[in-house]
Amino acid sequence: MSGFIAALPMYDWPECRADVDEQWANVRDRLRAAGIDAPDRLVRRNGDMPSVPGGICDSGGSIIAPDPASLPPNELDLHTLWCHPLLLFSQTCWGPMERGLAPHVQVIGQQDYSGIEGGGAEFYSSAVVSRQIDGDVPAPPNGKPNLPIGNLRGKRLAYNSTDSMSGIIGLERDLTSLNEDMSIFSSRLETGGHRNSIIEVAEEDATVAAIDCFTWQLAKRFEPMASALNVIGWTARRKGLPFIASRHVSPQIIELIAQELMRSKP
C-alpha cells in the first residue's frame, strides 16, 4: 500500500503548527528509515485526503464515512480522517474509539504526557476550569479525581463534544465514582472544541469546563481568555490519546511503527 496519509489534529492549534510539523517530521523520518513510505506533510483539510469513490466502507461493505471529496474541502471531518483506508498515523480519542471507531483502526501507540501538570507517560487528566476564584488547584499526585462538587452543582457545563473522553465522558465517570451524576449541572453547552469551551466559560456563557491537561497548557500560552480562568479541580488520570492507523495497513508495517514509537516517543 502506498499513498499513505497522516494527521496530528488533536493539538494542532494555529499558533503551534510549526511545532506539530516538526513533531511529524521527526516521526516521518524515523518511519522512512525503517522502510515505511510515510507522507511528507500532514492532512489538515478534507481536501488533503485522497478521494474514496462511493464512500469509505467497513469490512462488511457498509459505508461508515463519506468520500472526502464530497465534503467541504477547507474543513476537516475527523471521523472520515480516522476511517480513511490510507491512514498511516494519527491521533484520536478513546471516546470515539469506545463509540464505534475501534473496529476500523489499529492502535499503534500512545501520546506522551510527561512533564505536563495532570499527565504522566501515556496518562492524562482534565483540568476543571472556572472563572477566577482563589488560584489554581494543583493536580493530585495520586491521579485520583479531585472534583469540587459544591462548585459544580447547579452550574452550566461547557464541553467540546459528546464523544470526548477528556471533555465529558471522563468527568461523568468520575462523578459516578463519587455517587453523583451529570444532573449535578443545571445545563450543558456543546461548543465543538476545548478552546471554544474555555472562551464560553471566560465570557460567562457557561460556568465550568473540563479541559485536557495538554490543551490547558496550550491555552495558557496562546489563548488570551484563559487568563480569566482558574483550575478548580481535576478529573482522574486515565489513558490519553492513542495513535492509530487504518485497519488496512499491514501487520508488518504496524509492527515497525510500534517499534519506532517505543524507541522514541513523538
Side-chain angles (χ1 to χ4, degrees), residues 14 85 188:
R188 293 176 240 171

Side-chain angles (χ1 to χ4, degrees), residues 188-218:
R188 293 176 240 171
L189 173 66
E190 185 172 358
T191 67
H194 277 312
R195 191 171 194 169
N196 295 338
S197 297
I198 290 167
I199 293 170
E200 294 289 352
V201 174
E203 292 182 341
E204 301 189 74
D205 293 317
T207 319
V208 295
I211 310 296
D212 90 74
C213 58
F214 196 109
T215 299
W216 182 238
Q217 178 176 271
L218 291 179

